[in-house]
Amino acid sequence: MGTQRSTSLSKKTGNKLHRQSLYVKQKREREKEKRETRFRRKKEEEREPELRRERIARNIPATIDRKRVWDDVDDDGLGASVDMEQLLKKRRLQQEEAKEKLAAEAENGGDHEGDSDEDSMLGSDDEEEDSDEEAAAKARAKQVIRDDSMAPSTTSTNLGLTPESLVAKFPSLFSEDGPAEPQVLITTTLNATIHDEAKLLCTLFPHSTYIPRSAHKYGHKYSVREICKYASNRGFSTVMILREDQKRPIGLDIVHLPLGPTFHFSISNWVEGKKLPGHGNPTNHYPELLLNNFKTPLGVLTARLFQSLWPKTPELQGRQVVTLHNQRDYIFLRRHRYVFRDKRPTEKSVVGADGKELKGVESIRTGLQELGPRATLKLRRIDKGIGRAGSEGDDAVQWEWKAKMEKQRTRFNL
C-alpha cells in the first residue's frame, strides 16, 4: 500500500512540481476563506450597522502621528512642544476658576453689609446703554464672519491661537498693518546656476521679482544685509535666497523685512511642474492658502511667515490653491487647480468629519490637477535679525534644529 501524500507545506516535499501545486492550492484556499469571511461580515454589518462602526473604531492604525506626545509644561516658548489650542483652553479655565473664586469671596464678604445704599442705583442707565452698544457690535461682527464649512477641516491651523509672547517678540511679523499685496524679492547664492528654479518661485509667489546674483571679478559682491537694505528701501516686504548644491536647490532662506526675523529651510524632493504627470499650467490669479497641522508656538510662527508671503484676498475665479502641510516636522509644498464636476456612478458619497453623508452635495465632486512645483521643506534655524551675522545678543538665534531633537520619534517641534 503506497504512502498518502501530504497537502501541507510544513512537511518537506522532495518533488518541486508537487510543492508548487501544493502552494497554489493553499493560496487559493486562503483567498477563498478570506473572501467568504469578508462577504459574511458585510451581510452582518448590513443587518446591524453598529458592528461596522465598532470594527472601524477597533481597527484604527497606530501610527507615529497618533502616538505623538506633548510636553507637560505651561510654556509658550519656541522650544516647547505644546498644543496651543489645549494650552490656551487650560489657561482660560484657570482664569474662569479664579474669577469664580473671587466672586464667591466677594459675595461672602458682601453679606455682612447693608443693601440700602442709594448710590448703588446710580449709573444704571449708562450700564444699559453700554450693554446695548456691545450687543450691536457683536451683531455686526457676526454678520461679517463667514459661516463655517459644512465639512470643517480637522488639520487646519488656527492663527488666532498665537500667544502674546510671540507677538511681543516678533511685532513686525504679526502686525496687521502689513501690505495687502506682499512684494517678494527672490535671489540666489553667488554664481548660482539654478535660474530656472528661481523663476519658478516667481510664478508661485505673486508680485515677486527675481534678480540674479553674480560674483564677477568686476562686479560688487553684495551681502545679504545689503540686499535686504536695498529691498526694504524699494518697498519689498520679503527677501528669499535660494541655495543650491550640485545644480539643485537645497535650501531657502526667507528674510522678513525690514529687520527680520530670518527663517532657514532645507529643501528636498524638488520637482518642477513640467515633470509631473498630467500637470497643468498656472495662471496669474492669487491662490488660496491652506496651512495644515501647525500646532505648537514654533508652528504658529512658521505658519504666520507663510501667510505673509501671499495676498490676503485670493482670487477665487482662478480656482488655484497652495497647500503647506506639516507632518512630522516636514512641510510639504503643493499647488493645485480644482474644478467642480458631476459625480460618477461608481463614486461614493461625500462624508463629513463625523462619518455621515453631507446633504446638498450628493451629485458634486471636486477634481484636482497639480500645477507644481512641489518640494519638501524642513525648518533648520530662526535668526532674530537679518541672518546670523545681523543678529545680536543672547537671543540672536531664536531656535535651531539639532539632531538630538529627533531621538524621541513621537515628539515634534511644529
Side-chain angles (χ1 to χ4, degrees):
M1 184 176 180
T3 58
Q4 185 179 3
R5 291 187 175 182
S6 173
T7 60
S8 176
L9 286 179
S10 60
K11 297 181 180 180
K12 295 292 183 180
T13 305
N15 192 333
K16 180 179 179 181
L17 297 177
H18 186 215
R19 288 199 307 269
Q20 291 178 350
S21 63
L22 289 178
Y23 174 76
V24 172
K25 184 178 179 181
Q26 288 185 353
K27 186 177 180 181
R28 288 176 179 173
E29 291 178 355
R30 287 194 299 266
E31 292 177 353
K32 181 180 178 181
E33 184 178 355
K34 289 181 181 179
R35 185 168 57 254
E36 291 176 353
T37 304
R38 187 166 62 250
F39 280 103
R40 184 170 61 252
R41 183 175 63 237
K42 183 178 179 181
K43 292 180 180 180
E44 293 176 355
E45 291 177 351
E46 288 178 353
R47 290 194 301 267
E48 299 182 16
E50 187 65 27
L51 295 177
R52 184 175 184 273
R53 287 191 287 267
E54 292 178 357
R55 177 175 60 84
I56 294 176
R58 185 172 59 251
N59 294 337
I60 296 178
T63 61
I64 294 181
D65 297 322
R66 294 186 180 275
K67 295 180 180 180
R68 180 173 185 175
V69 296
W70 304 92
D71 296 343
D72 190 12
V73 294
D74 189 4
D75 183 18
D76 53 11
L78 295 180
S81 178
V82 293
D83 190 350
M84 288 306 306
E85 184 176 0
Q86 300 298 328
L87 179 62
L88 296 181
K89 182 179 179 181
K90 179 181 177 181
R91 291 180 178 177
R92 186 168 61 252
L93 292 176
Q94 291 177 353
Q95 292 177 358
E96 292 177 356
E97 291 177 357
K99 289 181 180 179
E100 292 178 357
K101 186 176 180 180
L102 291 175
E105 293 178 355
E107 289 179 358
N108 294 333
D111 292 341
H112 303 289
E113 299 178 357
D115 297 331
S116 61
D117 294 338
E118 297 178 356
D119 295 340
S120 62
M121 300 299 295
L122 297 178
S124 60
D125 297 336
D126 298 337
E127 293 178 357
E128 292 178 357
E129 293 177 358
D130 294 341
S131 62
D132 294 340
E133 292 178 357
E134 292 178 358
K138 290 181 179 179
R140 288 193 299 270
K142 188 175 182 181
Q143 292 177 357
V144 173
I145 297 175
R146 186 175 59 181
D147 294 337
D148 294 335
S149 173
M150 297 177 63
S153 173
T154 58
T155 60
S156 59
T157 301
N158 185 5
L159 293 178
L161 303 176
T162 305
E164 297 180 358
S165 60
L166 282 184
V167 178
K169 190 176 293 185
F170 306 99
S172 62
L173 189 59
F174 289 95
S175 175
E176 297 296 337
D177 300 332
E181 297 180 353
Q183 305 289 330
V184 181
L185 175 62
I186 300 176
T187 185
T188 59
T189 53
L190 291 173
N191 285 338
T193 61
I194 50 175
H195 304 291
D196 294 337
E197 287 80 357
K199 292 177 182 177
L200 277 177
L201 288 181
C202 291
T203 65
L204 183 63
F205 300 99
H207 301 288
S208 58
T209 305
Y210 171 56
I211 299 180
R213 191 173 171 202
S214 174
H216 193 269
K217 63 179 180 179
Y218 296 118
H220 182 73
K221 301 177 181 62
Y222 290 97
S223 65
V224 174
R225 281 185 288 178
E226 290 175 333
I227 294 174
C228 292
K229 184 178 179 180
Y230 165 90
S232 181
N233 293 335
R234 284 158 179 78
F236 288 95
S237 59
T238 306
V239 171
M240 292 185 182
I241 300 98
L242 189 63
R243 294 183 281 112
E244 72 162 333
D245 184 39
Q246 298 180 355
K247 299 184 179 181
R248 297 182 61 185
I250 62 165
L252 182 66
D253 300 339
I254 303 178
V255 185
H256 184 75
L257 299 179
L259 300 175
T262 304
F263 291 72
H264 303 268
F265 296 92
S266 62
I267 297 179
S268 60
N269 302 330
W270 174 276
V271 182
E272 300 177 4
K274 63 183 181 181
K275 294 183 179 179
L276 297 172
H279 71 89
N281 296 322
T283 59
N284 294 328
H285 296 91
Y286 296 165
E288 303 172 54
L289 184 61
L290 297 181
L291 300 169
N292 293 339
N293 278 344
F294 295 93
K295 297 184 178 181
T296 65
L298 182 63
V300 172
L301 178 65
T302 307
R304 177 60 183 176
L305 170 74
F306 289 130
Q307 189 187 40
S308 66
L309 300 179
W310 280 273
K312 297 180 180 179
T313 305
E315 296 177 350
L316 301 180
Q317 63 269 24
R319 295 180 286 108
Q320 293 186 156
V321 56
V322 174
T323 304
L324 289 157
H325 178 81
N326 170 49
Q327 187 170 358
R328 304 181 189 179
D329 289 346
Y330 288 93
I331 303 171
F332 299 93
L333 172 63
R334 301 291 186 269
R335 177 167 57 163
H336 295 87
R337 180 186 292 115
Y338 60 87
V339 61
F340 297 107
R341 58 175 176 79
D342 295 334
K343 174 189 171 185
R344 300 190 183 99
T346 57
E347 292 179 331
K348 297 181 180 179
S349 300
V350 178
V351 297
D354 54 355
K356 298 181 180 179
E357 295 184 4
L358 293 179
K359 296 181 179 180
V361 293
E362 292 85 355
S363 60
I364 301 176
R365 287 296 175 274
T366 304
L368 290 179
Q369 184 183 37
E370 190 168 359
L371 307 179
R374 69 164 61 166
T376 304
L377 309 177
K378 187 166 186 178
L379 182 62
R380 298 296 180 176
R381 193 173 77 245
I382 299 178
D383 295 325
K384 180 180 179 181
I386 300 175
R388 179 169 287 180
S391 304
E392 299 177 354
D394 297 335
D395 57 346
V397 179
Q398 295 288 332
W399 183 86
E400 186 172 12
W401 177 88
K402 296 180 180 179
K404 65 179 181 180
M405 293 180 178
E406 296 185 352
K407 188 174 182 179
Q408 187 179 0
R409 296 184 61 195
T410 55
R411 183 186 184 275
F412 306 109
N413 298 301
L414 299 180

